[in-house]
Amino acid sequence: MKIIMLGAPGAGKGTQAKMIAEKYGVPHISTGDIFRANIKNGTQLGMEAKKYMDQGLLVPDELTVKILLDRVAGEDCKNGYVLDGFPRTIPQAQVLDEALTELGDQIDYAINVDVPDENIIKRMGGRRACLSCGATYHIEHVPPKKEGVCDVCGQELVLRDDDKPETVKNRLQVYHDQTQPLIDFYTQKNVLRTVDGTADMQDVFAAIVAILG
Ligand code: AP5
Ligand code: MG
């Protein structure tokens, strides 16, 4: 099963992708998590990506596409995957489409997690992220068992650099300009399904499971 998560920054793509990955036994692939891991490890890629991420801008397609195509060629992706944060531009979607077509394959579902901008701004300040394993918490909605510590791997939780209110506004603008057109792209391919992302996260997940079967 090959799934794409679409939605604004903070819509809950990562939260739902993790649950999907667990239930259906496919890897959760987040380009944002890959970039953040590279930043943390001080790699060349991380330093390059950080310049864009800190401003709420997209990392250029040339950097992003190769990383993603290498990742989905991995042995663990044979039975599918859930992509979280990729594609984010029409050219990225086209490259993915071409790569899959060459393999006689295609995306099964593009799940659009729909949340209005007003809700997003409120959510982001409360988010805490683990930069080691990618787990995400919310100080009110999904608190960790011990404040400031990841339940999964025990590492420190942080407020992401790009979750400051000004940067969140830029990210929303970039989303509307560059990523929202993907909704039409996948509607035309007949694989787009929209869920109400303002619901409780278990209810959002139930709606997704009803779609995926
Ligand atoms: P990325 O890491 O993908 O960030 P994003 O798309 O901005 O999305 P987020 O991770 O912020 O939000 P999410 O939808 O995963 O929400 P979450 O589940 O955490 O990308 C970061 C940057 O990397 C980009 O800006 C760009 O620079 C670069 N990048 C990445 N991919 C790229 C690409 N393909 N091309 C170019 N550049 C790329 O939930 C948010 C919060 O809400 C959490 O606290 C959560 O606990 C809470 N929450 C979740 N669901 C609910 C609910 N139902 N009710 C209440 N609270 C909820
Ligand atoms: Mg995310």
Side-chain angles (χ1 to χ4, degrees):
M1 180 156 20
K2 297 187 175 62
I3 303 163
I4 288 172
M5 304 304 292
L6 290 177
K13 301 182 296 296
T15 302
Q16 297 300 327
K18 261 200 173 356
M19 294 197 262
I20 294 169
E22 230 162 76
K23 181 171 168 74
Y24 295 94
V26 290
H28 166 206
I29 301 175
S30 156
T31 38
D33 285 352
I34 294 173
F35 289 137
R36 281 184 289 278
N38 275 276
I39 292 172
K40 191 166 177 252
N41 295 328
T43 69
Q44 187 67 41
L45 169 70
M47 286 189 282
E48 189 60 26
K50 186 170 165 45
K51 290 192 226 158
Y52 300 92
M53 291 171 74
D54 281 354
Q55 299 176 66
L57 300 173
L58 295 185
V59 177
D61 287 347
E62 306 84 82
L63 285 179
T64 311
V65 160
K66 186 175 178 319
I67 290 163
L68 191 279
L69 291 183
D70 284 352
R71 180 64 189 88
V72 296
E75 191 58 32
D76 62 333
C77 292
K78 282 229 153 45
N79 295 325
Y81 40 75
V82 49
L83 300 186
D84 160 17
F86 187 100
R88 245 185 164 90
T89 62
I90 294 281
Q92 289 182 11
Q94 284 166 337
V95 170
L96 177 63
D97 201 42
E98 283 158 21
L100 286 170
T101 305
E102 246 171 58
L103 300 169
D105 208 346
Q106 59 178 38
I107 289 296
D108 298 299
Y109 294 103
I111 307 281
N112 175 31
V113 184
D114 187 29
V115 179
D117 289 6
E118 308 83 83
N119 302 41
I120 301 275
I121 306 224
K122 281 188 210 140
R123 268 187 200 181
M124 301 301 246
R127 171 163 64 183
R128 295 295 178 270
C130 175
L131 299 184
S132 283
C133 76
T136 300
Y137 302 84
H138 191 283
I139 50 178
E140 281 166 38
H141 308 298
V142 200
K145 292 196 184 84
K146 184 166 177 236
E147 197 185 319
V149 179
C150 180
D151 292 351
V152 181
C153 70
Q155 295 292 310
E156 181 197 7
L157 298 177
V158 297
L159 178 69
R160 269 169 46 180
D161 285 341
D162 59 348
D163 278 352
K164 296 180 200 107
E166 265 318 297
T167 316
V168 171
K169 278 187 200 148
N170 287 347
R171 285 161 63 198
L172 278 169
Q173 189 61 46
V174 166
Y175 167 74
H176 290 299
D177 292 345
Q178 300 193 54
T179 307
Q180 215 169 14
L182 294 178
I183 292 183
D184 283 344
F185 183 92
Y186 288 109
T187 301
Q188 278 161 22
K189 292 193 174 293
N190 230 349
V191 294
L192 189 93
R193 304 288 184 276
T194 296
V195 295
D196 175 6
T198 64
D200 180 88
M201 56 186 77
Q202 290 305 333
D203 293 339
V204 179
F205 186 55
I208 293 175
V209 170
I211 292 164
L212 301 180

